[in-house]
Amino acid sequence: SLAKVVATRRLLPISQKRLEQQTQWDLVQWQEDRTIPREKLLKDIKGAEALLCMLSDNIDEEILEAAGPQLKLVTTLSVGVDHIDLKTAKERNIKIGYTPDVLTDATADIGALLALAAARNMKKGIDSVTTGGWQDWRPAWLCGHQFTSKTLGVVGLGRIGQAVAHRLGAFGIDRLVYWGRTKKEGVNGEWVSLDQLLMESDIVVVCCPLTPETQEMFDYAAFKKMKKNAVFVNISRGGIVNQADLARALKEKVIAGAGLDVTTPEPLPLDDPLQNLDNCVILPHLGTATFETRETMGDMMVDNILAALENRPIPYESK
Ligand code: GLV
Ligand code: GLV
């Protein structure tokens, strides 16, 4: 009998078609345009050899166990794999597929966009246009902070972090400092301690993965170390930030502003303290959201599943 492949969402048209047209598997795919209910996934995954999931699915031990011992691959439409129980997957010899590289440019674009938006009061500006707050031209109104000759601090200088630094370099940034586990060779930036990065950066952009070590590493004490004119940008995962502390720091003007593409939880509740802050620009996790990138991510999923079912090495494997 054919192998069972379970998908928790439909993909974009071209990669969806490829997923559907394979004759070597039976596809069981959630068709509604909302996250698959947990009970449904627990049922569907029984007997699956491969699972195609999203970053919004919580792939924990219970889900992996419900699949049964034949599950070979969990492949996620994201570069982040923090929503998957990696320890259990390893114990059960389940490979993890993901989508590195292809999404670097799209995600870095959103990082640069949020840095500029936060530094130049984009939220206050747009709000003033739509609510009548825009009355006349004033010399000091909505003045923000310029990037020329400033210092950028990147937390996690991987592919995405380097692409953000490259983009912001075009806006006149003249110094790059970064913090991470390893010093990067061939990078025009200084590997510094986290404290030094916080104290010296005018723009702090977080691009590192969410792990037990980085969980809530940005708390009130961290924001206190930053410059008063600094902007904080997070394009990684909401879990890196203690959100109540960020809201407090923004409210007290401990830092100038924030730009977030990720929050805890997602979607961010309407009554969350961050919602009412005019110095906090928030996007609904749009990092990889371009047609080009999302189609290619979908193709990578299909390639991963084909390889897993044919017992070949997974082309896009997170190890
Ligand atoms: C997006 O957040 C991703 O991990 O791909
Ligand atoms: C993270 O995965 C990166 O590509 O920077």
Side-chain angles (χ1 to χ4, degrees):
S1 69
L2 291 178
K4 179 177 181 182
V5 170
V6 172
T8 65
R9 281 271 181 175
R10 292 179 62 82
L11 300 175
L12 267 69
I14 300 168
S15 38
Q16 173 65 29
K17 204 161 183 184
R18 255 190 95 206
L19 186 68
E20 281 171 7
Q21 283 175 343
Q22 302 302 325
T23 49
Q24 56 272 68
W25 61 57
D26 272 331
L27 178 65
V28 175
Q29 186 174 38
W30 177 246
Q31 297 294 332
E32 290 182 38
D33 201 8
R34 62 183 176 104
T35 299
I36 185 171
R38 189 173 172 82
E39 289 311 310
K40 174 77 175 136
L41 179 57
L42 279 168
K43 245 188 242 153
D44 281 356
I45 199 169
K46 270 190 193 52
E49 289 189 31
L51 170 67
L52 194 176
C53 70
M54 308 294 128
L55 60 85
S56 43
D57 300 317
N58 176 20
I59 308 303
D60 59 10
E61 187 175 1
E62 190 187 10
I63 298 272
L64 296 175
E65 262 172 21
Q70 77 299 322
L71 183 65
K72 292 179 177 158
L73 173 74
V74 173
T75 195
T76 178
L77 199 77
S78 61
V79 72
V81 293
D82 52 282
H83 55 298
I84 303 169
D85 180 346
L86 301 174
K87 184 170 166 280
T88 299
K90 195 173 190 137
E91 282 164 8
R92 296 179 148 257
N93 216 3
I94 300 165
K95 300 244 168 28
I96 305 298
Y98 72 148
T99 59
D101 300 315
V102 57
L103 46 62
T104 298
D105 284 350
T107 307
D109 289 350
I110 289 289
L113 182 157
L114 283 171
L116 285 161
R120 296 300 297 274
N121 292 314
M122 178 113 128
K123 181 159 201 275
K124 283 184 214 170
I126 290 176
D127 286 353
S128 79
V129 173
T130 55
T131 63
W134 182 17
Q135 291 172 346
D136 51 8
W137 193 93
R138 295 174 221 168
W141 189 49
L142 295 190
C143 285
H145 300 282
Q146 193 154 328
F147 284 4
T148 319
S149 303
K150 294 286 171 62
T151 295
L152 168 67
V154 175
V155 176
L157 194 71
R159 291 159 295 217
I160 296 170
Q162 290 179 46
V164 171
H166 177 72
R167 282 156 175 70
L168 294 186
F171 294 96
I173 294 287
D174 74 355
R175 182 168 175 242
L176 169 66
V177 297
Y178 68 95
W179 179 82
R181 279 175 309 176
T182 54
K183 183 171 161 47
K184 302 281 169 178
E185 297 308 324
V187 161
N188 190 17
E190 302 154 49
W191 190 37
V192 297
S193 68
L194 184 60
D195 274 3
Q196 191 183 345
L197 182 147
L198 296 174
M199 289 186 296
E200 296 180 6
S201 300
D202 301 286
I203 302 130
V204 172
V205 182
V206 184
C207 306
C208 61
L210 175 61
T211 64
E213 291 76 46
T214 61
Q215 178 95 30
E216 298 204 7
M217 64 183 280
F218 280 88
D219 57 8
Y220 192 72
F223 294 119
K224 268 287 198 199
K225 288 175 188 154
M226 289 170 60
K227 294 182 174 181
K228 266 186 135 42
N229 70 298
V231 297
F232 172 79
V233 174
N234 187 7
I235 55 171
S236 160
R237 285 293 179 269
I240 303 244
V241 178
N242 179 316
Q243 229 165 242
D245 285 6
L246 173 60
R248 182 179 162 204
L250 288 168
K251 192 163 181 209
E252 294 173 355
K253 306 276 194 292
V254 168
I255 59 172
L260 312 175
D261 191 40
V262 286
T263 60
T264 312
E266 294 178 6
L268 187 67
L270 292 178
D271 63 357
D272 188 279
L274 287 179
Q275 297 271 16
N276 296 320
L277 293 166
D278 60 10
N279 55 350
C280 188
V281 189
I282 307 174
L283 291 177
H285 208 144
L286 296 182
T288 67
T290 67
F291 292 110
E292 296 89 341
T293 291
R294 288 274 171 85
E295 277 287 16
T296 310
M297 290 165 75
D299 268 341
M300 293 161 88
M301 297 293 91
V302 179
D303 292 342
N304 275 349
I305 298 167
L306 281 167
L309 298 192
E310 292 165 8
N311 296 312
R312 288 186 281 114
I314 310 301
Y316 311 104
E317 182 179 1
S318 168
K319 296 193 186 172

